[in-house]
Amino acid sequence: MRHIGKSNKKPTAAQLATRQKMAAVIKFLRPALPFVNVGFELEVLGTDKNPHNAAVSYNVKNAMQGSYPDISLNYSKVLLSKGSLEPAIDPGATLTGTLLELTWQVAADMDWGIKNDRAMLFIYCPELDKAVYVWSGSRRSTGKDEIELPLNYVDKELQVYIAFKADNGKSMSNSVWVGLVAFN
């Protein structure tokens, strides 16, 4: 007798590849769930989708590399937020002790409407499978923000992202991968 959702057939290579992609994305997004729920909230507004599923769908389609059985996440292509606001321009990160400072370019002729956007910072530690984040950081016009990292992040590689959310909460930028940051 067959049970619902169970198959006695051996999975195809395509099915195994899809499962591996889903597993990689879901593992990465698990500690990012609160951030993603904010980051994709406006993207799914007015639909029957939820932010987490929208993030999974986007990243499975756009942020994977390799072929089965060596499929992995391409951190530089991951999106943790999605929207129409201007993203961070030329972001960078500097680590001093456990203080991570993120910077971005502030144009002299920046549109008044985006000066008060708030930075959203996301730092993921693959080795620990944990993340720290800030939902409402510095204003875009300051060109920098910082976050104190937990001590257990010391000597680990970190994947760093930044996004902006409008001060009124009605629009969001795509997140931008700042890069891989490692303790020296």
Side-chain angles (χ1 to χ4, degrees), residues 4-60:
I4 295 173
K6 298 280 184 181
S7 173
N8 295 326
K9 295 179 185 176
K10 186 176 177 183
T12 66
Q15 288 171 322
L16 292 171
T18 299
R19 290 176 190 175
Q20 191 174 36
K21 288 177 184 179
M22 289 292 289
V25 169
I26 289 170
K27 179 180 188 276
F28 172 78
L29 291 179
R30 188 172 297 119
L33 183 59
F35 193 93
V36 164
N37 281 340
V38 172
F40 273 81
E41 177 181 27
L42 299 172
E43 178 69 14
V44 299
L45 194 63
T47 73
D48 62 350
K49 298 178 183 178
N50 70 51
H52 178 261
N53 289 353
V56 169
S57 177
Y58 176 88
N59 288 299
V60 164

Side-chain angles (χ1 to χ4, degrees), residues 22-175:
M22 289 292 289
V25 169
I26 289 170
K27 179 180 188 276
F28 172 78
L29 291 179
R30 188 172 297 119
L33 183 59
F35 193 93
V36 164
N37 281 340
V38 172
F40 273 81
E41 177 181 27
L42 299 172
E43 178 69 14
V44 299
L45 194 63
T47 73
D48 62 350
K49 298 178 183 178
N50 70 51
H52 178 261
N53 289 353
V56 169
S57 177
Y58 176 88
N59 288 299
V60 164
K61 291 176 188 167
N62 299 290
M64 304 310 298
Q65 62 187 8
S67 54
Y68 183 79
D70 297 313
I71 295 172
S72 63
L73 204 55
N74 181 337
Y75 291 109
S76 70
K77 294 184 177 181
V78 165
L79 270 193
L80 295 166
S81 69
K82 194 165 187 228
S84 59
L85 272 181
E86 183 178 331
I89 300 169
D90 196 24
T94 307
L95 192 57
T96 306
T98 56
L99 187 68
L100 180 66
E101 182 182 68
L102 280 86
T103 58
W104 55 89
Q105 184 181 56
V106 177
D109 62 346
M110 180 185 293
D111 181 52
W112 176 255
I114 66 170
K115 284 186 177 190
N116 292 324
D117 295 348
R118 295 293 189 159
M120 293 177 57
L121 314 178
F122 183 85
I123 296 87
Y124 175 68
C125 180
E127 185 177 332
L128 300 174
D129 194 28
K130 293 191 182 279
V132 292
Y133 42 85
V134 174
W135 283 314
S136 185
S138 295
R139 295 186 188 282
R140 184 190 294 259
S141 59
T142 65
K144 66 178 180 175
D145 203 348
E146 58 188 32
I147 183 171
E148 188 73 35
L149 299 174
L151 289 175
N152 60 341
Y153 279 42
V154 173
D155 296 329
K156 312 274 189 302
E157 291 185 340
L158 309 172
Q159 300 291 339
V160 179
Y161 298 84
I162 185 172
F164 288 104
K165 187 170 187 177
D167 199 33
N168 67 6
K170 293 185 178 183
S171 52
M172 173 79 61
S173 77
N174 285 357
S175 60

Side-chain angles (χ1 to χ4, degrees), residues 172-184:
M172 173 79 61
S173 77
N174 285 357
S175 60
V176 175
W177 181 66
V178 178
L180 172 70
V181 175
F183 285 83
N184 293 329

